[in-house]
Amino acid sequence: MQTLFTVCVMSGAGRQLALFLCGCYVVALGVHAEEPRVASHHEAEHYMAAVYEHRSVLTSDPLALMSRKEALELMNQNLDIYEQQVMIAAQKDVQIIVFPEDGIHGFNFTRTSVYPFLDFMPSPRLVRWNPCLEPHRFNDTEVLQRLSCMAIKGNMFLVANLGTKQPCHRNDPGCPNDGRYQFNTNVVFSNNGTLVDRYRKHNLYFEAAFDAPLEVDLIIFDTPFAGKFGIFTCFDILFFEPAIRLLQDPEVKHVVYPAAWMNQLPLLAAIQIQRAFAIAFGINFLAANIHHPTLGMTGSGIHSPRKSFWHHDMEDSRGHLIIAQVAKNPLGLIGMQNTTGKMDPSHSKFLELLAGDPYCEKDAQEVHCDRATKWNMNAPPTFHSEMMYDNFTLVPVWGKEGYLRVCANGLCCHLLYQRPTLSKELYALGVFDGLHTVHGTYYVQACALVKCGGLGFDTCGQEITEATGRFAFHLWGNFSTSYIFPLLLTSGMTLETPDQFGWESDYSFLRKRGLSSGLVTAALYGRLYERD
């Protein structure tokens, strides 16, 4: 199997701003490529990381019962690919590699059919164990042994996901009827093969084969090259436990994130939410997704607040390795307090709107944000359309410039925009403030500028990936949560970096002055965890 991988170099200059120089190149196995030009830097300020988007070898029937021997034969096919990627990464001095959720065993099992795929997992908090050097200490640990040996062979920290089992006693009130717990588990090995820690997935996504642990695992592991890392899995990213609680520790500046994420546009594509999480918390986010394009599963990356190296490919069936040089202390986006020099006119208009200029805020026909200029604008109609299975309230975005506001429940979303040219596309500004109840139950507040699927209002909210409309805009809302994730996606599943993201006068705002390609989605995605 030929595997493509991308090597990217991200470099910074200490604590200064304007820090990123990047060189990327793509290599196919067996094909020589030009070595990257690495900007001068202090190695002590960076580490080398890798994530692998893996197209897993799957059982033909996940409901069928298999022997342990048959299960190991299938899993070893995936582990062989993992080992190849570790050795490629080792050639680039990678210090930590992340593999995806379900990459070794697959998915869609029943509780019974997954059992032959499960390794026994002792608690690393209670037992210090090196599976590669002590293979006979525990039974049914063949997968853990191979992963441990890979970490040694590649001389790197290794993060992988597997199914694990843990016997329990009948006097344990949570013990399942079959006498064992079954967990969706991430494991972390050090470069000497020691099992450093494990995280058992808390927020299961329709995973009948697995149990959620009785108490949430809050796992932070330390590394000699970059300090503290947090860890969680896939669907966990949308919930307070454990993702948000982990990041209450200010020393956690990096997260490793195995996932088997099915993309859902316009607001929850894998690379969208990964990047948004990195920006929102000012951290490095190392995300490895599974690669099954026919199931809508692709999208991995090494993300920092100011730069991302990502892979999203719905056409190529091959796996993909991303390698990047990452700053140990990631720099956040420029906030309001960092702006210097003369303020541009659009930002002056934005601040006047926030200050409550009566013409700006109350006159639906004219916007007088800059007192010397009048923008004539007919109040557009409000309509409803389904987006992400939720009933959004929207207004069309017409004309080359303007100011719009749309409200639902207590949330009002505002858009101040300019367009260099008009495209033959319909865009809309939408708001949702309510409980999302499809494929999970959680409370969302969202302000979203989206390209519609066609020219009809009922197409707004459809999944599209291509667009030509370019905008310079401020998007803001009076959110009642501080947990806001900025989403910015352009044509061809391209990530863009906001110029600014933060708070001003109790409004969360997102600002972008120019896009490299047509806008697909610009959104502020808020989560009210206490109302789930």
Side-chain angles (χ1 to χ4, degrees):
M1 178 185 294
Q2 189 184 41
T3 302
L4 293 182
F5 68 96
T6 305
V7 179
C8 300
V9 180
M10 183 186 345
S11 67
R15 302 185 178 117
Q16 302 171 13
L17 301 178
L19 301 178
F20 290 96
L21 299 171
C22 160
C24 296
Y25 62 96
V26 177
V27 180
L29 289 184
V31 180
H32 179 72
E34 179 186 356
E35 286 297 311
R37 290 180 295 120
V38 182
S40 61
H41 66 280
H42 299 293
E43 287 190 3
E45 296 177 355
H46 300 83
Y47 66 97
M48 293 298 292
V51 301
Y52 182 60
E53 180 162 312
H54 175 53
R55 181 177 178 84
S56 48
V57 180
L58 301 173
T59 175
S60 59
D61 183 5
L63 304 182
L65 299 181
M66 300 174 68
S67 67
R68 174 67 172 174
K69 180 182 178 182
E70 291 170 323
L72 284 171
E73 287 175 354
L74 184 140
M75 291 191 289
N76 275 319
Q77 293 180 64
N78 290 307
L79 290 165
D80 288 345
I81 299 170
Y82 279 25
E83 188 164 342
Q84 292 171 10
Q85 303 309 312
V86 167
M87 298 319 297
I88 294 168
Q91 295 172 13
K92 303 298 177 184
D93 298 322
V94 164
Q95 293 159 286
I96 185 168
I97 189 168
V98 185
F99 291 100
E101 180 186 23
D102 298 338
I104 297 172
H105 55 278
F107 37 73
N108 293 332
F109 294 97
T110 66
R111 183 174 182 85
T112 302
S113 67
V114 81
Y115 183 72
F117 292 84
L118 306 181
D119 267 33
F120 171 71
M121 168 60 72
S123 171
R125 302 289 174 94
L126 302 176
V127 177
R128 181 172 176 82
W129 178 42
N130 188 312
C132 187
L133 303 183
E134 304 171 272
H136 304 298
R137 188 169 177 183
F138 302 102
N139 293 327
D140 293 338
T141 58
E142 292 91 340
V143 174
L144 292 169
Q145 292 169 33
R146 282 210 64 182
L147 293 170
S148 171
C149 292
M150 280 183 220
I152 295 173
K153 194 172 180 181
N155 190 29
M156 66 186 68
F157 273 62
L158 185 149
V159 179
N161 174 271
L162 73 159
T164 64
K165 59 187 178 184
Q166 178 183 323
C168 53
H169 300 287
R170 291 185 177 180
N171 58 2
D172 176 351
C175 185
N177 292 333
D178 53 18
R180 63 180 182 268
Y181 290 109
Q182 299 183 175
F183 296 117
N184 177 333
T185 305
N186 296 337
V187 288
V188 181
F189 291 96
S190 72
N191 62 327
N192 67 12
T194 299
L195 180 60
V196 174
D197 220 326
R198 59 99 173 93
Y199 166 73
R200 299 167 299 179
K201 188 176 181 183
H202 180 64
N203 298 287
L204 298 172
Y205 187 78
F206 304 102
E207 298 170 66
F210 294 116
D211 304 300
L214 299 180
E215 295 184 2
V216 181
D217 289 343
L218 296 173
I219 304 301
I220 297 171
F221 63 93
D222 208 358
T223 66
F225 52 84
K228 292 184 176 181
F229 283 71
I231 183 170
F232 49 88
T233 309
C234 203
F235 201 40
D236 287 327
I237 199 171
L238 293 180
F239 298 92
F240 188 84
E241 301 277 11
I244 308 303
R245 190 175 297 281
L246 280 177
L247 292 167
Q248 292 178 340
D249 183 340
E251 293 185 8
V252 176
K253 298 178 181 178
H254 320 270
V255 166
V256 289
Y257 177 70
W261 186 279
M262 298 176 67
N263 291 298
Q264 188 179 2
L265 290 163
L267 301 182
L268 286 179
I271 58 173
Q272 262 183 314
I273 191 65
Q274 294 163 12
R275 181 72 193 285
F277 204 90
I279 294 173
F281 289 99
I283 60 168
N284 294 319
F285 198 79
L286 282 54
N289 197 12
I290 204 80
H291 188 75
H292 289 286
T294 56
L295 301 176
M297 304 170 92
T298 180
S300 304
I302 297 175
H303 308 275
S304 72
R306 297 191 183 188
K307 191 72 179 178
S308 283
F309 305 104
W310 76 90
H311 176 72
H312 177 103
D313 193 334
M314 290 292 289
E315 306 297 331
D316 198 327
S317 64
R318 293 170 293 182
H320 194 92
L321 181 66
I322 303 171
I323 298 175
Q325 190 179 71
V326 186
K328 293 181 182 179
N329 293 295
L331 290 165
L333 291 180
I334 298 173
M336 290 302 299
Q337 70 278 9
N338 300 109
T339 56
T340 57
K342 185 178 180 180
M343 192 175 295
D344 68 81
S346 69
H347 203 64
S348 297
K349 294 185 179 83
F350 163 67
L351 293 177
E352 287 197 52
L353 281 164
L354 289 186
D357 184 314
Y359 292 100
C360 287
E361 193 68 31
K362 297 178 182 178
D363 189 334
Q365 302 303 315
E366 293 186 324
V367 179
H368 302 265
C369 302
D370 180 352
R371 287 181 171 80
T373 304
K374 292 184 178 181
W375 292 359
N376 294 319
M377 181 184 74
N378 292 323
T382 299
F383 64 96
H384 292 86
S385 188
E386 185 178 279
M387 188 188 307
M388 309 290 296
Y389 301 102
D390 296 321
N391 185 27
F392 271 69
T393 304
L394 304 102
V395 292
V397 179
W398 291 333
K400 289 187 69 174
E401 59 182 17
Y403 161 72
L404 296 170
R405 181 177 67 169
V406 62
C407 302
N409 292 338
L411 177 63
C412 286
C413 302
H414 306 252
L415 177 69
L416 182 66
Y417 69 95
Q418 291 179 297
R419 304 181 64 181
T421 57
L422 288 176
S423 60
K424 294 181 179 179
E425 298 165 308
L426 175 63
Y427 282 84
L429 173 67
V431 59
F432 179 74
D433 183 357
L435 190 67
H436 175 88
T437 57
V438 179
H439 301 155
T441 302
Y442 45 93
Y443 201 99
V444 174
Q445 286 188 327
C447 293
L449 169 61
V450 296
K451 183 204 162 184
C452 305
L455 298 179
F457 287 172
D458 61 342
T459 69
C460 297
Q462 291 181 356
E463 297 195 32
I464 62 103
T465 59
E466 304 298 325
T468 61
R470 302 199 182 199
F471 286 79
F473 66 87
H474 286 74
L475 174 67
W476 70 99
N478 62 329
F479 290 84
S480 50
T481 175
S482 60
Y483 298 107
I484 313 291
F485 301 93
L487 310 175
L488 191 51
L489 190 68
T490 58
S491 191
M493 296 301 293
T494 302
L495 294 173
E496 296 264 352
T497 301
D499 293 333
Q500 287 180 290
F501 164 67
W503 291 85
E504 181 72 27
S505 302
D506 297 324
Y507 290 86
S508 177
F509 79 97
L510 175 66
R511 176 193 187 193
K512 185 67 177 176
R513 281 169 289 190
L515 298 171
S516 61
S517 58
L519 180 68
V520 172
T521 303
L524 294 166
Y525 190 84
R527 283 284 287 113
L528 278 76
Y529 303 108
E530 69 276 10
R531 297 181 69 175
D532 288 353

